[in-house]
Amino acid sequence: MPDGKGKALAMPYIAAAILLTAAIALPSCAGPADGGPMRVSVAAIKGPSAIGMALFLDGAAEGYDCEVYTTADEVVPRLAKGELDIAAVPANLSSILYANTEGGVRVIAIGTMGMTYVVERGDSVRSLADLRGKVVYAGFKGKSPEFDLYHILMGNGIDPEGDLTIEWKSEHSECVAALSAVDGAVAVLPQPFAAAALMADGEARIAVDLNAEWDKLQSASGAPFPLVTGVVVVRAGFADEWPELVSEFLDLYKESVRMVASDPGWAAAAVAAKGVFPEDLALAAIPLCNVTFVEGSEMKEGLGGYLGILYRLNPQSIGGALPGDDFYHIR
């Protein structure tokens, strides 16, 4: 990908992350001024990453205040001000934040992996090769969904700019609307939008699982790194001052992910109560969201491999350089 275009692709995340540049020495949490119980401020973003935090969303995790934000851009300045201790963010944004804070942010867990699908209102797409000559609707140009799609297409010998036409929309919901309005339409949709498309239109179907295509491509390359979509980060100052609270959070987060898998109905109700998704949509999407919990050396290897792929595609997509070892918080 040309350098000029690469910089343009990364600008939405860089603009958000640059807000942290003036706050390199991120403040650490010292507990309430009145000497009361310690409370940890946690942020989730409307999307699949919030599902894994269901235990925090429903208030069952004592001592944690978990709020849901619409976009990552809302979370970044709050991290800078020390108003948030822990946050779920897109995988590549975590690296950008690390770069722009000179190590002021660390990653503690992988929370979601591949959850993106090619959805068609018709029956002409059975493989990636069938996308040639198609108009494909996709959302969030310049963010990780674009980088992931380009990597998969190019790895399969498909030129994203010459072999098909990608019509970019500002929101994934616009892609769902276009899918319903046009016979034979094709869209690239993450969850829960893929599930929403299927629920809204009986003629829509999942044509290609891009997560499976990613795994197939990486396995063939000899570098089977996962498609990491979401991670959980902590302010470095908080981790240094309160390592026991970070460890406690990780234990609770792991349990939360386990509970999501064992009781999707409870998780759907929890995320619906916080306004993340409607309950019926959450219930349909949860099995396809690839909510997970990965920490420690496995997290470092998987996320590091994924960031390496993005770096080779477009260095600015991860902040211009691969993060150092201190980026990975391993308890």
Side-chain angles (χ1 to χ4, degrees), residues 219-305:
S219 180
S221 74
F225 300 119
L227 172 49
V228 183
T229 53
V231 300
V232 180
V233 298
V234 63
R235 290 186 295 106
F238 180 87
D240 289 340
E241 189 165 357
W242 304 98
E244 70 283 0
L245 289 181
V246 176
S247 184
E248 177 189 83
F249 170 84
L250 286 169
D251 289 339
L252 289 169
Y253 185 45
K254 181 178 182 179
E255 175 63 13
S256 182
V257 170
R258 187 198 66 77
M259 291 173 66
V260 169
S262 64
D263 192 352
W266 160 79
V271 300
K274 276 286 193 175
V276 180
F277 311 131
E279 189 169 347
D280 59 342
L281 177 58
L283 196 57
I286 284 173
L288 301 172
C289 281
N290 215 349
V291 175
T292 189
F293 174 86
V294 181
E295 64 167 326
S297 58
E298 185 180 354
M299 169 195 70
K300 180 179 179 180
E301 181 179 3
L303 178 58

Side-chain angles (χ1 to χ4, degrees), residues 39 47-48 76 106 112 144 152 173-174 189 230 238-239 267 284 294 331:
R39 300 198 65 80
V76 167
R106 298 174 192 160
T112 53
S144 53
I152 293 169
S173 57
E174 295 180 46
L189 294 169
F238 180 87
V294 181
R331 56 173 172 170

Side-chain angles (χ1 to χ4, degrees), residues 38-310:
M38 176 73 183
R39 300 198 65 80
V40 180
S41 181
V42 179
I45 299 171
K46 280 192 175 183
S49 63
I51 295 172
M53 289 190 169
L55 191 66
F56 301 91
L57 293 176
D58 76 356
E62 294 185 6
Y64 293 83
D65 298 318
C66 186
E67 295 299 326
V68 177
Y69 297 88
T70 303
T71 68
D73 291 350
E74 296 175 81
V75 172
V76 167
R78 287 175 171 82
L79 277 171
K81 296 174 185 177
E83 296 172 355
L84 295 173
D85 303 313
I86 295 170
V89 299
N92 70 316
L93 178 57
S94 69
S95 181
I96 293 174
L97 291 175
Y98 169 85
N100 282 280
T101 61
E102 296 186 1
V105 171
R106 298 174 192 160
V107 64
I108 57 176
I110 294 173
T112 53
M113 294 193 188
M115 62 184 88
T116 305
Y117 303 84
V118 175
V119 180
E120 180 188 21
R121 189 171 186 258
D123 196 29
S124 64
V125 176
R126 292 287 172 176
S127 68
L128 288 172
D130 294 332
L131 294 178
R132 287 190 170 92
K134 297 282 188 182
V135 174
V136 177
Y137 300 103
F140 287 135
K141 181 177 177 61
K143 297 189 178 181
S144 53
E146 180 178 9
F147 309 137
D148 300 339
L149 177 60
Y150 268 52
H151 177 68
I152 293 169
L153 291 175
M154 291 188 298
N156 282 273
I158 300 171
D159 180 357
E161 298 177 352
D163 291 337
L164 66 156
T165 301
I166 302 176
E167 187 169 319
W168 294 101
K169 302 291 186 181
S170 59
E171 299 288 342
H172 293 305
S173 57
E174 295 180 46
C175 300
V176 176
L179 194 69
S180 297
V182 181
D183 287 335
V186 180
V188 173
L189 294 169
Q191 293 297 349
F193 297 96
L198 300 185
M199 292 172 65
D201 191 332
E203 296 182 27
R205 67 180 185 87
I206 291 178
V208 181
D209 181 348
L210 291 181
N211 319 301
E213 294 296 332
W214 176 284
D215 290 342
K216 188 189 308 180
L217 176 62
Q218 291 308 123
S219 180
S221 74
F225 300 119
L227 172 49
V228 183
T229 53
V231 300
V232 180
V233 298
V234 63
R235 290 186 295 106
F238 180 87
D240 289 340
E241 189 165 357
W242 304 98
E244 70 283 0
L245 289 181
V246 176
S247 184
E248 177 189 83
F249 170 84
L250 286 169
D251 289 339
L252 289 169
Y253 185 45
K254 181 178 182 179
E255 175 63 13
S256 182
V257 170
R258 187 198 66 77
M259 291 173 66
V260 169
S262 64
D263 192 352
W266 160 79
V271 300
K274 276 286 193 175
V276 180
F277 311 131
E279 189 169 347
D280 59 342
L281 177 58
L283 196 57
I286 284 173
L288 301 172
C289 281
N290 215 349
V291 175
T292 189
F293 174 86
V294 181
E295 64 167 326
S297 58
E298 185 180 354
M299 169 195 70
K300 180 179 179 180
E301 181 179 3
L303 178 58
Y306 172 70
L307 294 176
I309 290 169
L310 292 191

